[in-house]
Amino acid sequence: MRMKLTLALGLLVLAVLNVGVYRKELFLETAEEVYFELAPLDPRSLMQGDYVRLNYKLLGDLHRDFDRIRSAGKNEIPESGKVILRLDDRRVASFRGLWDGGPLAEDERILHYSGRGGIRGGRRVHVASESFFFEEGQGEAYEEARYGVFKLGKDGRTILRALVDENFVRIQPAAKK
């Protein structure tokens, strides 16, 4: 009896894991590819050798919108929500405004944000991956990064896929010798 219970629990764990993998794979297949312009990279993280800390231009725009809302005397900025992004002809996303649930134009998408440390106090807002990991010793190649390549789902979730330079060429460091 104990063996059957252990086997059943093991199969249940495997089933749950496989469903999670399937959902991620489906997301990668169905989500559209968009670019987020990077704000200046953190050179200290490049120097550490295995990751770069990312910041995005649209985050600055989002913070300015939050400041505008606060200065108008409205303190009702939700800790998490969705914003409207506009995609240009190169698929580069720019901040349009907070989403009120209304219909989107053909060139608009939604992006989920969440607050860390309290949006009301002007603290951190999270919209996408905050770091990009790479093989140690390859940091110099990523100094040319200007955009993050993301898969953006219809629900506003993102997955970082790569970094690209100003010409939208994926950065692929040379193999170690």
Side-chain angles (χ1 to χ4, degrees):
M1 180 66 169
R2 182 178 257 172
M3 180 64 118
K4 288 181 183 179
L5 181 61
T6 302
L7 184 58
L9 287 174
L11 289 174
L12 179 65
V13 167
L14 286 175
V16 169
L17 289 174
N18 280 323
V19 167
V21 169
Y22 173 76
R23 289 179 64 202
K24 288 282 188 196
E25 290 294 329
L26 185 62
F27 179 84
L28 291 173
E29 287 177 23
T30 59
E32 65 181 311
E33 194 167 88
V34 299
Y35 300 92
F36 289 178
E37 186 175 351
L38 299 174
L41 300 175
D42 182 355
R44 292 169 300 163
S45 61
L46 282 166
M47 296 295 287
Q48 291 172 352
D50 60 354
Y51 83 101
V52 61
R53 184 149 178 80
L54 300 175
N55 192 12
Y56 306 100
K57 180 183 179 297
L58 66 90
L59 266 177
D61 298 335
L62 178 59
H63 279 289
R64 280 188 286 285
D65 200 43
F66 286 163
D67 290 343
R68 178 190 58 76
I69 291 168
R70 275 190 220 94
S71 67
K74 300 175 185 172
N75 291 324
E76 294 301 316
I77 301 171
E79 287 292 322
S80 66
K82 295 184 179 177
V83 298
I84 301 172
L85 300 178
R86 183 188 162 278
L87 298 182
D88 68 12
D89 57 340
R90 300 172 302 165
R91 306 205 53 76
V92 175
S94 59
F95 176 76
R96 177 64 62 86
L98 293 177
W99 186 52
D100 61 4
L104 299 171
E106 191 172 315
D107 65 345
E108 293 178 336
R109 304 294 184 273
I110 57 171
L111 174 68
H112 183 267
Y113 75 86
S114 60
R116 293 190 177 164
I119 291 173
R120 290 176 185 88
R123 300 295 188 273
R124 296 179 41 81
V125 177
H126 175 76
V127 295
S129 298
E130 294 178 338
S131 55
F132 181 80
F133 292 87
F134 50 83
E135 188 175 345
E136 190 170 340
Q138 301 292 335
E140 194 172 302
Y142 291 99
E143 290 176 357
E144 302 300 317
R146 295 298 174 260
Y147 300 92
V149 181
F150 287 87
K151 286 290 194 164
L152 176 64
K154 293 186 185 307
D155 63 354
R157 291 181 304 131
T158 60
I159 292 181
L160 177 63
R161 302 294 291 159
L163 297 180
V164 297
D165 64 16
E166 63 192 18
N167 299 313
F168 297 91
V169 175
R170 287 184 188 235
I171 297 172
Q172 297 179 346
K176 283 188 171 182
K177 295 180 182 181

